[in-house]
Amino acid sequence: MLSIGPVTFDQPLLLAPIAGHCDLPFRVLCRELGGVGLASTDLLNCHSILRGSPRAMELAATDPRDEPLCMQLYGNDRDPLPEAARWAVDHGAAVIDINMGCPVDKVAKKNGGSLLLCDTDRTVRLAERIVRAVEPTGVPVTAKVRLGWDRSCIVAPHLARRLESVGIQAVTVHGRTTEQRFRGTVDLDGIGEVVAAVDAIPVIGNGDITEPHHATDMMRYTGCRGVMIGRGAMRTPWIFHRTDRLLRTGDPGPEPTFADKLQVIRRHLDLLVELRGEGAAVQCLNKRISWYGKTMGHIKPLKEAIRLATTADAIRDHLLDWMPDHTDCPSDCELWRPSASAASSTVPKSPAANGAAAQAASSRHATRQRRFTGTGQRFHPSSR
């Protein structure tokens, strides 16, 4: 359990605001798979949301399946961030997060993101204005930071302590500097120093979480109360489910089978079509299949087929062709039933076993021309 101000959630696991990837369909997918305590929107430009820019409205879109929701805002002390925070509260945000750590040029060049680490006095004054703007609503404000701009300018411990003093209710720390971007490895000692610097608010660790044990190791070593997962979720959105199980039982459970992963991709496609339309869905899966494929063994023909697909039905057909048991497709995905998954006696499949499944499916795909076109023969993951 983790609390940020008055907002409490059962799992101390947060889906990061992944620039360009953390849209509503993906957030709902991760929540359906289980284990997500809080999910965040993509980075929201304060000017764009106040103007009602169509792209900003798409990034901020939510629905009842997407709760509790954090909206992350970026800008600087000359921008209307307090007004944007009030807008976010009015449009469904349970938590407001200020981006103080993004190293991407389009954010930092506007004096937002990581550049806020370079003048901590101005940054603390900005945070106080945002806190005061939403204080009457009771919605907590948090901050996401890096350790500092570079190794000669480590400011996160001092900044976190000052942010707490003006009402920031939690701080997420990515354990690298801005100069590092995503190079090297996360500095757990640096995250631990931020934990030691604050009095009472939770510190959430972030960086290099690609397996369930990475999250528990980070929490144990640094003392952080929660973990935010970003890039690791893009290829394994079931990481929250398995990490939650590890935290609860000491066992992450089995790696999803090859068939399970195909089901997850299919469910992602269906959510994209439902929430963004077929054109956007196809374009998204054209790109995202390469991330999913990193965990699925030798599936180059499948990745290439989906990359070149132009309709949602074509993607569904390609996925169906690769189901390990093509004539007896499961009606739903076990990952959507955490209790059943936890009780399963199935022997966990190793990455090598997944690779073998992929090779077997590839062989069948090469020799089999038959396609199923009847809707009753397609696989339909449960929407739970």
Side-chain angles (χ1 to χ4, degrees), residues 3 20 26-27 40 55 96 102 137 146 181 191 202 214 238 240 242-243 275 328 338 348-350 352:
S3 294
F26 186 65
R27 297 196 306 269
S40 178
R55 176 57 176 161
I96 305 294
C102 182
T137 70
R146 284 190 170 228
R181 295 180 68 93
I191 295 173
H214 295 161
W238 49 83
F240 298 98
R242 298 188 68 226
T243 304
L275 296 168
D328 185 23
K349 291 187 180 292
S350 66

PDB file of all heavy atoms in Angstrom, residues 3 20 26-27 40 55 96 102 137 146 181 191 202 214 238 240 242-243 275 328 338 348-350 352:
ATOM      1  N   SER A   3       0.483   5.715   0.003  1.00  0.00           N
ATOM      2  CA  SER A   3      -0.374   6.895   0.080  1.00  0.00           C
ATOM      3  C   SER A   3       0.394   8.121  -0.394  1.00  0.00           C
ATOM      4  O   SER A   3       1.553   8.332  -0.017  1.00  0.00           O
ATOM      5  CB  SER A   3      -0.867   7.123   1.513  1.00  0.00           C
ATOM      6  OG  SER A   3      -1.733   6.087   1.926  1.00  0.00           O
ATOM      7  N   GLY A  20       5.324   9.760 -25.497  1.00  0.00           N
ATOM      8  CA  GLY A  20       4.998   9.135 -26.765  1.00  0.00           C
ATOM      9  C   GLY A  20       4.394   7.752 -26.669  1.00  0.00           C
ATOM     10  O   GLY A  20       4.051   7.156 -27.698  1.00  0.00           O
ATOM     11  N   PHE A  26      -2.908   2.170 -23.540  1.00  0.00           N
ATOM     12  CA  PHE A  26      -1.830   1.448 -22.870  1.00  0.00           C
ATOM     13  C   PHE A  26      -2.024   1.471 -21.360  1.00  0.00           C
ATOM     14  O   PHE A  26      -1.761   0.466 -20.687  1.00  0.00           O
ATOM     15  CB  PHE A  26      -0.474   2.051 -23.245  1.00  0.00           C
ATOM     16  CG  PHE A  26       0.695   1.265 -22.698  1.00  0.00           C
ATOM     17  CD1 PHE A  26       0.941  -0.026 -23.131  1.00  0.00           C
ATOM     18  CD2 PHE A  26       1.542   1.821 -21.752  1.00  0.00           C
ATOM     19  CE1 PHE A  26       2.019  -0.762 -22.624  1.00  0.00           C
ATOM     20  CE2 PHE A  26       2.608   1.107 -21.239  1.00  0.00           C
ATOM     21  CZ  PHE A  26       2.848  -0.195 -21.677  1.00  0.00           C
ATOM     22  N   ARG A  27      -2.482   2.585 -20.804  1.00  0.00           N
ATOM     23  CA  ARG A  27      -2.730   2.632 -19.366  1.00  0.00           C
ATOM     24  C   ARG A  27      -3.810   1.634 -18.966  1.00  0.00           C
ATOM     25  O   ARG A  27      -3.679   0.929 -17.956  1.00  0.00           O
ATOM     26  CB  ARG A  27      -3.132   4.054 -18.939  1.00  0.00           C
ATOM     27  CG  ARG A  27      -2.056   5.092 -19.168  1.00  0.00           C
ATOM     28  CD  ARG A  27      -2.319   6.381 -18.408  1.00  0.00           C
ATOM     29  NE  ARG A  27      -3.605   6.986 -18.648  1.00  0.00           N
ATOM     30  CZ  ARG A  27      -3.866   7.901 -19.584  1.00  0.00           C
ATOM     31  NH1 ARG A  27      -2.909   8.274 -20.418  1.00  0.00           N
ATOM     32  NH2 ARG A  27      -5.069   8.435 -19.694  1.00  0.00           N
ATOM     33  N   SER A  40       0.129   7.349 -14.989  1.00  0.00           N
ATOM     34  CA  SER A  40       0.243   8.745 -15.378  1.00  0.00           C
ATOM     35  C   SER A  40       0.017   8.928 -16.870  1.00  0.00           C
ATOM     36  O   SER A  40       0.326   8.048 -17.677  1.00  0.00           O
ATOM     37  CB  SER A  40       1.628   9.292 -15.017  1.00  0.00           C
ATOM     38  OG  SER A  40       1.760  10.637 -15.438  1.00  0.00           O
ATOM     39  N   ARG A  55      -4.185  17.457 -29.870  1.00  0.00           N
ATOM     40  CA  ARG A  55      -3.192  16.465 -29.438  1.00  0.00           C
ATOM     41  C   ARG A  55      -3.105  16.415 -27.917  1.00  0.00           C
ATOM     42  O   ARG A  55      -3.045  15.330 -27.322  1.00  0.00           O
ATOM     43  CB  ARG A  55      -1.822  16.816 -30.036  1.00  0.00           C
ATOM     44  CG  ARG A  55      -0.697  15.894 -29.580  1.00  0.00           C
ATOM     45  CD  ARG A  55      -0.972  14.445 -29.896  1.00  0.00           C
ATOM     46  NE  ARG A  55       0.151  13.590 -29.530  1.00  0.00           N
ATOM     47  CZ  ARG A  55       0.062  12.284 -29.351  1.00  0.00           C
ATOM     48  NH1 ARG A  55      -1.107  11.655 -29.491  1.00  0.00           N
ATOM     49  NH2 ARG A  55       1.127  11.573 -29.021  1.00  0.00           N
ATOM     50  N   ILE A  96      -1.495  15.492  -9.288  1.00  0.00           N
ATOM     51  CA  ILE A  96      -0.816  16.358 -10.260  1.00  0.00           C
ATOM     52  C   ILE A  96       0.683  16.185 -10.067  1.00  0.00           C
ATOM     53  O   ILE A  96       1.186  16.307  -8.956  1.00  0.00           O
ATOM     54  CB  ILE A  96      -1.158  17.843 -10.040  1.00  0.00           C
ATOM     55  CG1 ILE A  96      -2.674  18.082 -10.064  1.00  0.00           C
ATOM     56  CG2 ILE A  96      -0.437  18.717 -11.054  1.00  0.00           C
ATOM     57  CD1 ILE A  96      -3.303  17.831 -11.399  1.00  0.00           C
ATOM     58  N   CYS A 102      12.673  15.481 -17.133  1.00  0.00           N
ATOM     59  CA  CYS A 102      12.758  15.016 -18.521  1.00  0.00           C
ATOM     60  C   CYS A 102      13.979  15.616 -19.208  1.00  0.00           C
ATOM     61  O   CYS A 102      14.147  16.838 -19.254  1.00  0.00           O
ATOM     62  CB  CYS A 102      11.493  15.390 -19.287  1.00  0.00           C
ATOM     63  SG  CYS A 102      11.511  14.790 -20.994  1.00  0.00           S
ATOM     64  N   THR A 137      -8.854  21.957  -3.468  1.00  0.00           N
ATOM     65  CA  THR A 137      -9.479  20.738  -3.994  1.00  0.00           C
ATOM     66  C   THR A 137      -9.039  19.487  -3.247  1.00  0.00           C
ATOM     67  O   THR A 137      -9.665  18.428  -3.383  1.00  0.00           O
ATOM     68  CB  THR A 137      -9.127  20.550  -5.486  1.00  0.00           C
ATOM     69  OG1 THR A 137      -7.727  20.205  -5.609  1.00  0.00           O
ATOM     70  CG2 THR A 137      -9.394  21.817  -6.272  1.00  0.00           C
ATOM     71  N   ARG A 146      15.388  14.156 -11.522  1.00  0.00           N
ATOM     72  CA  ARG A 146      16.606  13.355 -11.656  1.00  0.00           C
ATOM     73  C   ARG A 146      17.556  13.756 -10.541  1.00  0.00           C
ATOM     74  O   ARG A 146      17.290  14.691  -9.783  1.00  0.00           O
ATOM     75  CB  ARG A 146      17.226  13.553 -13.032  1.00  0.00           C
ATOM     76  CG  ARG A 146      16.466  12.794 -14.126  1.00  0.00           C
ATOM     77  CD  ARG A 146      17.186  12.783 -15.438  1.00  0.00           C
ATOM     78  NE  ARG A 146      16.511  11.852 -16.343  1.00  0.00           N
ATOM     79  CZ  ARG A 146      17.132  10.922 -17.069  1.00  0.00           C
ATOM     80  NH1 ARG A 146      18.460  10.808 -17.007  1.00  0.00           N
ATOM     81  NH2 ARG A 146      16.460  10.111 -17.864  1.00  0.00           N
ATOM     82  N   ARG A 181      21.187  10.928 -19.511  1.00  0.00           N
ATOM     83  CA  ARG A 181      19.964  10.502 -20.202  1.00  0.00           C
ATOM     84  C   ARG A 181      19.616   9.081 -19.745  1.00  0.00           C
ATOM     85  O   ARG A 181      19.269   8.885 -18.607  1.00  0.00           O
ATOM     86  CB  ARG A 181      20.113  10.635 -21.710  1.00  0.00           C
ATOM     87  CG  ARG A 181      20.278  12.100 -22.151  1.00  0.00           C
ATOM     88  CD  ARG A 181      20.428  12.233 -23.637  1.00  0.00           C
ATOM     89  NE  ARG A 181      19.211  11.891 -24.363  1.00  0.00           N
ATOM     90  CZ  ARG A 181      18.285  12.780 -24.715  1.00  0.00           C
ATOM     91  NH1 ARG A 181      18.413  14.052 -24.399  1.00  0.00           N
ATOM     92  NH2 ARG A 181      17.225  12.386 -25.398  1.00  0.00           N
ATOM     93  N   ILE A 191      19.353   7.531  -5.036  1.00  0.00           N
ATOM     94  CA  ILE A 191      17.940   7.483  -4.632  1.00  0.00           C
ATOM     95  C   ILE A 191      17.840   7.384  -3.114  1.00  0.00           C
ATOM     96  O   ILE A 191      17.020   8.045  -2.476  1.00  0.00           O
ATOM     97  CB  ILE A 191      17.230   6.294  -5.314  1.00  0.00           C
ATOM     98  CG1 ILE A 191      17.201   6.491  -6.834  1.00  0.00           C
ATOM     99  CG2 ILE A 191      15.809   6.132  -4.771  1.00  0.00           C
ATOM    100  CD1 ILE A 191      16.662   5.301  -7.604  1.00  0.00           C
ATOM    101  N   PRO A 202       6.552  10.182   0.841  1.00  0.00           N
ATOM    102  CA  PRO A 202       7.139   9.013   0.179  1.00  0.00           C
ATOM    103  C   PRO A 202       8.058   9.414  -0.965  1.00  0.00           C
ATOM    104  O   PRO A 202       7.802  10.379  -1.685  1.00  0.00           O
ATOM    105  CB  PRO A 202       5.911   8.250  -0.346  1.00  0.00           C
ATOM    106  CG  PRO A 202       4.840   9.266  -0.466  1.00  0.00           C
ATOM    107  CD  PRO A 202       5.099  10.279   0.608  1.00  0.00           C
ATOM    108  N   HIS A 214      13.906  -6.457  -9.751  1.00  0.00           N
ATOM    109  CA  HIS A 214      14.556  -5.144  -9.768  1.00  0.00           C
ATOM    110  C   HIS A 214      13.801  -4.166  -8.870  1.00  0.00           C
ATOM    111  O   HIS A 214      14.412  -3.334  -8.187  1.00  0.00           O
ATOM    112  CB  HIS A 214      14.610  -4.578 -11.184  1.00  0.00           C
ATOM    113  CG  HIS A 214      15.454  -5.365 -12.128  1.00  0.00           C
ATOM    114  ND1 HIS A 214      15.341  -5.275 -13.501  1.00  0.00           N
ATOM    115  CD2 HIS A 214      16.451  -6.274 -11.898  1.00  0.00           C
ATOM    116  CE1 HIS A 214      16.221  -6.074 -14.078  1.00  0.00           C
ATOM    117  NE2 HIS A 214      16.900  -6.697 -13.124  1.00  0.00           N
ATOM    118  N   TRP A 238       2.875  -6.703 -18.423  1.00  0.00           N
ATOM    119  CA  TRP A 238       2.496  -7.587 -17.318  1.00  0.00           C
ATOM    120  C   TRP A 238       3.482  -7.501 -16.154  1.00  0.00           C
ATOM    121  O   TRP A 238       3.307  -8.172 -15.140  1.00  0.00           O
ATOM    122  CB  TRP A 238       2.414  -9.030 -17.828  1.00  0.00           C
ATOM    123  CG  TRP A 238       3.616  -9.449 -18.620  1.00  0.00           C
ATOM    124  CD1 TRP A 238       4.821  -9.902 -18.149  1.00  0.00           C
ATOM    125  CD2 TRP A 238       3.748  -9.406 -20.051  1.00  0.00           C
ATOM    126  NE1 TRP A 238       5.689 -10.145 -19.176  1.00  0.00           N
ATOM    127  CE2 TRP A 238       5.074  -9.869 -20.366  1.00  0.00           C
ATOM    128  CE3 TRP A 238       2.901  -9.047 -21.094  1.00  0.00           C
ATOM    129  CZ2 TRP A 238       5.526  -9.952 -21.678  1.00  0.00           C
ATOM    130  CZ3 TRP A 238       3.363  -9.141 -22.404  1.00  0.00           C
ATOM    131  CH2 TRP A 238       4.666  -9.589 -22.675  1.00  0.00           C
ATOM    132  N   PHE A 240       3.812  -5.292 -13.912  1.00  0.00           N
ATOM    133  CA  PHE A 240       3.157  -4.834 -12.690  1.00  0.00           C
ATOM    134  C   PHE A 240       2.475  -6.004 -11.982  1.00  0.00           C
ATOM    135  O   PHE A 240       2.567  -6.141 -10.759  1.00  0.00           O
ATOM    136  CB  PHE A 240       2.122  -3.753 -13.018  1.00  0.00           C
ATOM    137  CG  PHE A 240       2.725  -2.526 -13.631  1.00  0.00           C
ATOM    138  CD1 PHE A 240       2.718  -2.353 -15.016  1.00  0.00           C
ATOM    139  CD2 PHE A 240       3.304  -1.546 -12.845  1.00  0.00           C
ATOM    140  CE1 PHE A 240       3.275  -1.226 -15.594  1.00  0.00           C
ATOM    141  CE2 PHE A 240       3.872  -0.405 -13.413  1.00  0.00           C
ATOM    142  CZ  PHE A 240       3.854  -0.257 -14.786  1.00  0.00           C
ATOM    143  N   ARG A 242       3.239  -9.190 -12.146  1.00  0.00           N
ATOM    144  CA  ARG A 242       4.218 -10.116 -11.582  1.00  0.00           C
ATOM    145  C   ARG A 242       4.957  -9.489 -10.401  1.00  0.00           C
ATOM    146  O   ARG A 242       5.277 -10.170  -9.428  1.00  0.00           O
ATOM    147  CB  ARG A 242       5.207 -10.566 -12.662  1.00  0.00           C
ATOM    148  CG  ARG A 242       4.526 -11.314 -13.817  1.00  0.00           C
ATOM    149  CD  ARG A 242       5.536 -11.926 -14.778  1.00  0.00           C
ATOM    150  NE  ARG A 242       6.266 -13.005 -14.138  1.00  0.00           N
ATOM    151  CZ  ARG A 242       7.586 -13.152 -14.199  1.00  0.00           C
ATOM    152  NH1 ARG A 242       8.330 -12.258 -14.835  1.00  0.00           N
ATOM    153  NH2 ARG A 242       8.171 -14.164 -13.603  1.00  0.00           N
ATOM    154  N   THR A 243       5.228  -8.170 -10.469  1.00  0.00           N
ATOM    155  CA  THR A 243       5.908  -7.509  -9.356  1.00  0.00           C
ATOM    156  C   THR A 243       5.002  -7.432  -8.142  1.00  0.00           C
ATOM    157  O   THR A 243       5.446  -7.641  -6.997  1.00  0.00           O
ATOM    158  CB  THR A 243       6.367  -6.102  -9.771  1.00  0.00           C
ATOM    159  OG1 THR A 243       7.192  -6.198 -10.939  1.00  0.00           O
ATOM    160  CG2 THR A 243       7.168  -5.439  -8.660  1.00  0.00           C
ATOM    161  N   LEU A 275     -10.481   3.175 -28.412  1.00  0.00           N
ATOM    162  CA  LEU A 275     -10.253   4.469 -27.778  1.00  0.00           C
ATOM    163  C   LEU A 275      -9.597   5.502 -28.689  1.00  0.00           C
ATOM    164  O   LEU A 275      -9.676   6.704 -28.408  1.00  0.00           O
ATOM    165  CB  LEU A 275      -9.401   4.280 -26.518  1.00  0.00           C
ATOM    166  CG  LEU A 275     -10.069   3.439 -25.418  1.00  0.00           C
ATOM    167  CD1 LEU A 275      -9.057   3.048 -24.345  1.00  0.00           C
ATOM    168  CD2 LEU A 275     -11.245   4.190 -24.806  1.00  0.00           C
ATOM    169  N   ASP A 328      -7.333 -24.490 -31.560  1.00  0.00           N
ATOM    170  CA  ASP A 328      -8.020 -24.490 -30.266  1.00  0.00           C
ATOM    171  C   ASP A 328      -7.589 -23.246 -29.479  1.00  0.00           C
ATOM    172  O   ASP A 328      -6.953 -23.332 -28.443  1.00  0.00           O
ATOM    173  CB  ASP A 328      -7.694 -25.756 -29.485  1.00  0.00           C
ATOM    174  CG  ASP A 328      -8.496 -25.843 -28.191  1.00  0.00           C
ATOM    175  OD1 ASP A 328      -9.564 -25.203 -28.095  1.00  0.00           O
ATOM    176  OD2 ASP A 328      -8.037 -26.550 -27.278  1.00  0.00           O
ATOM    177  N   PRO A 338      -5.760 -12.620 -12.073  1.00  0.00           N
ATOM    178  CA  PRO A 338      -4.623 -12.782 -11.157  1.00  0.00           C
ATOM    179  C   PRO A 338      -4.799 -13.900 -10.154  1.00  0.00           C
ATOM    180  O   PRO A 338      -3.876 -14.639  -9.872  1.00  0.00           O
ATOM    181  CB  PRO A 338      -4.549 -11.413 -10.464  1.00  0.00           C
ATOM    182  CG  PRO A 338      -5.146 -10.463 -11.444  1.00  0.00           C
ATOM    183  CD  PRO A 338      -6.239 -11.235 -12.126  1.00  0.00           C
ATOM    184  N   PRO A 348       6.494 -22.667 -14.507  1.00  0.00           N
ATOM    185  CA  PRO A 348       6.917 -21.433 -15.162  1.00  0.00           C
ATOM    186  C   PRO A 348       7.745 -21.726 -16.400  1.00  0.00           C
ATOM    187  O   PRO A 348       8.632 -22.584 -16.389  1.00  0.00           O
ATOM    188  CB  PRO A 348       7.751 -20.717 -14.097  1.00  0.00           C
ATOM    189  CG  PRO A 348       7.266 -21.279 -12.801  1.00  0.00           C
ATOM    190  CD  PRO A 348       6.900 -22.709 -13.098  1.00  0.00           C
ATOM    191  N   LYS A 349       7.453 -20.994 -17.477  1.00  0.00           N
ATOM    192  CA  LYS A 349       8.205 -21.166 -18.711  1.00  0.00           C
ATOM    193  C   LYS A 349       9.397 -20.221 -18.735  1.00  0.00           C
ATOM    194  O   LYS A 349       9.271 -19.052 -18.424  1.00  0.00           O
ATOM    195  CB  LYS A 349       7.305 -20.910 -19.926  1.00  0.00           C
ATOM    196  CG  LYS A 349       6.248 -21.993 -20.115  1.00  0.00           C
ATOM    197  CD  LYS A 349       5.507 -21.787 -21.409  1.00  0.00           C
ATOM    198  CE  LYS A 349       4.448 -22.864 -21.633  1.00  0.00           C
ATOM    199  NZ  LYS A 349       5.009 -24.158 -21.873  1.00  0.00           N
ATOM    200  N   SER A 350      10.538 -20.732 -19.089  1.00  0.00           N
ATOM    201  CA  SER A 350      11.739 -19.922 -19.169  1.00  0.00           C
ATOM    202  C   SER A 350      11.757 -19.156 -20.486  1.00  0.00           C
ATOM    203  O   SER A 350      11.014 -19.484 -21.407  1.00  0.00           O
ATOM    204  CB  SER A 350      12.968 -20.835 -19.128  1.00  0.00           C
ATOM    205  OG  SER A 350      12.990 -21.643 -20.299  1.00  0.00           O
ATOM    206  N   ALA A 352      13.879 -19.426 -22.698  1.00  0.00           N
ATOM    207  CA  ALA A 352      14.217 -20.404 -23.728  1.00  0.00           C
ATOM    208  C   ALA A 352      12.982 -21.147 -24.206  1.00  0.00           C
ATOM    209  O   ALA A 352      12.816 -21.446 -25.381  1.00  0.00           O
ATOM    210  CB  ALA A 352      15.256 -21.399 -23.187  1.00  0.00           C
TER     211      ALA A 352
END
